[in-house]
Amino acid sequence: MIRPLKLGFMALLFFYLYLPIAVLVANAFNSTRSGNRWGGFTAKWFDAMWANSGLMEAAVNSLTVAVVAATVATLIGTLAAVALYRYRFRGKLALNGMLFVVMTSPDIVMAVSLLALFVSLGISLGFWSLLAAHITFCLPFVVVSVYSRLSGFDRSVIEAARDLGASEGRILRQIILPMAMPAVLAGWLLSFTLSLDDVIISSFVTGPSYEILPIKIFSMVKVGVTPAVNALATLMLLLSLVMVAISQFLLKQKHPS
Amino acid sequence: MMTFKHWLTAALLSTVSAAAVADNDVIYFYNWSEYIPEGLMQEFEQETGIRVIYTTYDSNEAMYAKLKLTGSEGYDIVVPSTYYIAKMADEGMLKPLDKSLLTNLAHLDPALMDKEYDPGNTYSLPYIWGATGIGVNTDEVDIDEITSWKDLWSPQWRGELMLMNDPREVFHMALRILGYSTNSRNPHEIEEAYQLLTQLMPNALTFNSDNPGAPFAAGDTILGMIWNGSAYEAQKEDPAINMVYPKEGAIFWMDNLAIPAGAKNVEAAHKLIDFLLRPEIAAKVCEEIGYPTPNKTAKGLLDKAFAENPMVFPPAEVIEAGEFQSDVGEAVEIYDGYWQRLRTGR
Amino acid sequence: MKVNNRLKWFSIGLLTTWLVIFVLFPNLMVIAVSFMTPDLRELIRPEFSVEGYLRLLDPLYLDVLIHSLYLAGFATLLCLLVGYPAAWIIAHTSKRMQAFLLFLIIVPFWTNSLIRTYAMKVILGNRGIVNKTLMEIGLIDSPIRMLYNESAVIMALVYILLPFMILPLYSSIEKLPRNYLEAAKDLGSGPLRTFRTIVWPLTLPGVISGCLLVFLPALGMFYIADLLGGAGNLLIGNIIRDQILVTRNWPFGAALSVTLIAMMAVMLWAYHRALKAMQGGQGR
């Protein structure tokens, strides 16, 4: 009695989670515009998507910001995680606290605060303000991801290396970074996705000179049925699936020893 | 590690240089949603080599706030409605147009020029005008029973109506029912209209000024406010959708091309305005998005059946009965105050 | 040891500087702005005022705020009601199955949330697939309105945020010591009693952190209310967005943000308490 109940529950849950996505993907290949009934298979919406220069430009902008923001956040975040792991210093608790606040505070609050910052400093809204904002909300996720992997390791390896006369830089390069690598990459991928997905913060801190996908899609979707968006969504879904697969693979890798 | 660093530097440099090159051959066009036919900007690009970055807004208020935030910088062309032209010009947010750069000026209809909101068209030129009336899905609602703005107040439409996300347009209905002008600056009249509108709010389903025809075409709403061009588009998708010009008078509005004070690429902005004033282009815009054009020459180029479609070109008696939106001066803020309460309240 | 020090201070300094400039400083600014006077032309005037906060108590806004809390709260409750059993079931399958099921839960989270909200709109419309199916199987004669009302907003919030509830719940359920449950059973405790006295208190940190990760973001997701909510179903995020980006009443928008931060602080405090209570309980 219990088993079929459980199965049924999970089936319903996944149906709920995947039905909208399935409809989106189906409509990307559906020749009727409104998408309310099946009108036959077509790839024309993909052509429409490529031809929509505004959409394509926003996509390139989004990818640029996502790559740069994820990379910078990963560099700063990894260094910081290593420092948090390796050293004791005053203010460590405050630093941890601030990272925690960034992770839990609602996007809308961060959006307002960053806009206030940029406006008061007279920084024009565009690529740079957007980049700084994205790095900021990605940062804690990288730190946590790298830090939690590092704390799972045996510190005695490092002690041994030091006893054998390895310099601090060498310990970092040859022991700590290789150990942390899977988490570093996973942190990068997570940052990349977070950046690509963000609607709320971006709609506050980007300006006319730099339109990105979520903003563009938002204005397209508000206007009505736009099958090119379905095509784009399908491509992005595919991209995310590949990324999930890669990150899962990386996280599951055994400790290098 | 080295290659990675190189790659990163290259990526950073390329974005910086992209931003630096941008200046002279790019123009930022901030316009209402659904206001430019697909592919038209590419045509301009091919002709002039000037790339158009096109972004959209759904209300004068949002556009105004955005420009305030950026110090009127960042955009080269905006398309405010008449009364916002007056407000923005007054606040120094617009740049006077250089008429010597506009070769197609003569094609505009003199009847729509030199109005009180912008005497001598110093700051703006009409781009599109249109009417707001009542949209009806004739499969669900008997169109003969809808003749007046007042009909929208009927309790049978509780939670059914599509309304504009625009204070002046929504207030128009109440002001006209009460027998006042849509351009009223009288605080008492405006308050009276506000009181009347509070009774309408329970009937509101959604507010949409992006594409008011879309919820009709999707079957999600059967009655409410609609723009004529949007109704025209929606009818193409679902023939059951029609439009009524209410007996108290429809709203006529006009959106105008203007250049923000902080525009970087003024010369190109004039080029684009001149392009849009060209009769063939104006005719194309009119035919594809379904709003009447203020361009007299362009009107002559239109297909006959299209030019006689009362949905696109309201007949003379409808125009006679309706009222054109114009400047209300400081009263804009009174409208906005009440509007916020209407829009937010439940 | 010089290298050591330089590297250490560089890493810590970089992160600290970043957080001070982009987190601490802006948040302090928001708090400051919330106590200033709005100005139509200049945005704000540096004159002290509590107008922004008083406005929260204006019956009109209070009503909307309470409704917004209700929408987000109801969505959180639904997430918990669906997420708890789901997390429980997942945690009690084989290790391989667990990984696979979690993967399935996470995949939608990696897809653009705006696009998923839009997908929700497509299926919930009067001519959408849900109404169509119901009509085809003869359950209803005419379409039911599922769009532009509060249930649409709640359903979409649950849809977007469910993974954030399931993941923390899963990790706290997974950590439950199995022998506790068996001991309770051996001692004759019924399933309900076991749940109340052992399982619930031990998974409470997971419950609270799940609620935290659903409730707070839910309040801010203005695009969901924009696309699906229609008139009268605004979230706090919509009001903040409109105050900041449309009507330009920054002090009020800032006061709303500060309110959100305060709510977050309360929930974090509750989380902390629950965690402490649990560790204390285990220690004894």
Side-chain angles (χ1 to χ4, degrees), chain B residues 40-345:
Chain B
L40 191 69
M41 289 300 104
Q42 278 94 309
E43 214 176 305
F44 176 73
E45 269 170 54
Q46 275 162 13
E47 199 178 296
T48 59
I50 301 168
R51 219 155 54 87
V52 182
I53 309 281
Y54 185 73
T55 44
T56 59
Y57 54 89
D58 80 328
S59 71
N60 283 303
E61 291 76 18
M63 177 269 302
Y64 171 83
K66 189 99 191 188
L67 281 184
K68 274 280 179 187
L69 204 61
T70 59
S72 302
E73 278 180 30
Y75 298 102
D76 298 304
I77 301 186
V78 289
V79 194
S81 301
T82 48
Y83 54 104
Y84 260 85
I85 292 283
K87 182 179 165 75
M88 290 165 73
D90 188 44
E91 291 174 23
M93 295 169 75
L94 300 178
K95 223 184 203 66
L97 298 173
D98 183 350
K99 304 274 170 51
S100 67
L101 296 174
L102 302 171
T103 56
N104 293 316
L105 206 57
H107 297 296
L108 286 170
D109 186 348
L112 295 170
M113 308 269 286
D114 192 23
K115 299 280 188 196
E116 52 169 350
Y117 64 87
D118 185 16
N121 288 78
T122 314
Y123 295 101
S124 70
L125 289 169
Y127 172 53
I128 275 175
W129 65 279
T132 311
I134 300 178
V136 180
N137 182 330
T138 52
D139 282 347
E140 309 283 338
V141 179
D142 181 1
I143 194 165
D144 294 329
E145 298 206 340
I146 306 294
T147 56
S148 150
W149 287 119
K150 194 100 192 65
D151 293 331
L152 299 183
W153 266 256
S154 160
Q156 74 178 115
W157 307 124
R158 204 184 157 84
E160 295 282 349
L161 302 181
M162 214 309 299
L163 299 178
M164 292 295 166
N165 185 20
D166 182 311
R168 291 287 308 278
E169 295 203 38
V170 172
F171 268 84
H172 168 96
M173 299 189 288
L175 285 166
R176 292 296 294 209
I177 288 172
L178 293 166
Y180 302 137
S181 160
T182 194
N183 300 315
S184 173
R185 302 183 188 205
N186 181 334
H188 299 296
E189 292 178 5
I190 302 173
E191 201 204 323
E192 219 181 308
Y194 164 70
Q195 295 299 349
L196 188 58
L197 285 171
T198 53
Q199 296 160 28
L200 178 67
M201 287 306 128
N203 286 1
L205 171 69
T206 179
F207 295 91
N208 184 334
S209 280
D210 274 302
N211 179 1
F216 285 93
D220 288 322
T221 187
I222 52 173
L223 187 69
M225 301 173 81
I226 200 164
W227 292 324
N228 57 338
S230 208
Y232 175 76
E233 281 291 317
Q235 197 175 47
K236 277 198 248 171
E237 257 176 70
D238 181 351
I241 290 158
N242 211 332
M243 181 179 174
V244 173
Y245 292 113
K247 65 174 187 228
E248 297 96 340
I251 313 154
F252 295 102
W253 38 260
M254 193 152 69
D255 295 325
N256 311 274
L257 299 162
I259 301 179
K264 292 265 171 6
N265 205 348
V266 180
E267 201 193 316
H270 281 90
K271 269 191 196 148
L272 182 53
I273 292 178
D274 206 38
F275 175 80
L276 292 170
L277 294 182
R278 201 183 292 164
E280 310 83 69
I281 301 299
K284 190 171 178 177
V285 169
C286 176
E287 271 175 354
E288 293 211 11
I289 66 176
Y291 288 104
T293 174
N295 194 310
K296 227 176 166 175
T297 322
K299 222 181 146 182
L301 300 175
L302 296 174
D303 179 57
K304 198 156 184 308
F306 179 77
E308 280 167 5
N309 185 342
M311 197 184 261
V312 180
F313 289 95
E317 66 272 16
V318 170
I319 295 182
E320 189 58 36
E323 197 175 4
F324 246 97
Q325 250 176 15
S326 87
D327 187 25
V328 290
E330 298 279 299
V332 169
E333 273 144 35
I334 308 180
Y335 283 106
D336 277 350
Y338 283 129
W339 173 246
Q340 247 189 82
R341 301 193 75 84
L342 286 174
R343 180 76 180 76
T344 314

Side-chain angles (χ1 to χ4, degrees), chain C residues 55-69 252:
Chain C
R55 212 156 177 197
L56 291 173
L57 303 174
D58 176 331
L60 176 90
Y61 286 103
L62 197 62
D63 185 35
V64 176
L65 293 183
I66 290 171
H67 186 64
S68 170
L69 292 177
F252 183 40

Side-chain angles (χ1 to χ4, degrees), chain C residues 57-216:
Chain C
L57 303 174
D58 176 331
L60 176 90
Y61 286 103
L62 197 62
D63 185 35
V64 176
L65 293 183
I66 290 171
H67 186 64
S68 170
L69 292 177
Y70 157 78
L71 290 172
F74 200 91
T76 311
L77 188 70
L78 276 181
C79 278
L80 185 61
L81 287 178
V82 175
Y84 205 101
W88 185 270
I89 293 171
I90 294 173
H92 287 84
T93 53
S94 68
K95 272 272 170 252
R96 271 182 86 116
M97 196 63 183
Q98 282 184 23
F100 177 65
L101 288 175
L102 284 177
F103 175 77
L104 283 185
I105 298 272
I106 295 172
V107 167
F109 155 76
W110 287 68
T111 331
N112 191 300
S113 51
L114 185 62
I115 289 180
R116 281 186 294 144
T117 310
Y118 165 62
M120 209 64 183
K121 182 171 181 164
V122 171
I123 64 171
L124 289 181
N126 277 4
R127 293 176 194 166
I129 187 169
V130 176
N131 264 317
K132 253 202 171 136
T133 313
L134 289 178
M135 274 157 79
E136 232 146 70
I137 57 177
L139 272 178
I140 51 173
D141 295 328
S142 56
I144 331 171
R145 169 153 288 144
M146 283 184 271
L147 217 52
Y148 304 122
N149 54 25
E150 59 183 51
S151 59
V153 176
I154 292 171
M155 270 172 80
L157 287 173
V158 171
Y159 177 56
I160 301 289
L161 293 165
L162 191 59
F164 295 93
M165 179 65 88
I166 294 183
L167 294 178
L169 280 174
Y170 162 80
S171 69
S172 69
I173 291 173
E174 213 246 69
K175 273 188 229 133
L176 270 180
R178 296 285 150 95
N179 52 352
Y180 277 34
L181 302 184
E182 274 151 33
K185 203 172 171 187
D186 292 346
L187 293 173
S189 160
L192 257 178
R193 196 185 142 107
T194 311
F195 181 78
R196 214 184 58 230
T197 55
I198 299 178
V199 176
W200 180 256
L202 286 180
T203 52
L204 197 58
V207 171
I208 297 178
S209 72
C211 290
L212 189 82
L213 290 175
V214 172
F215 182 70
L216 288 171

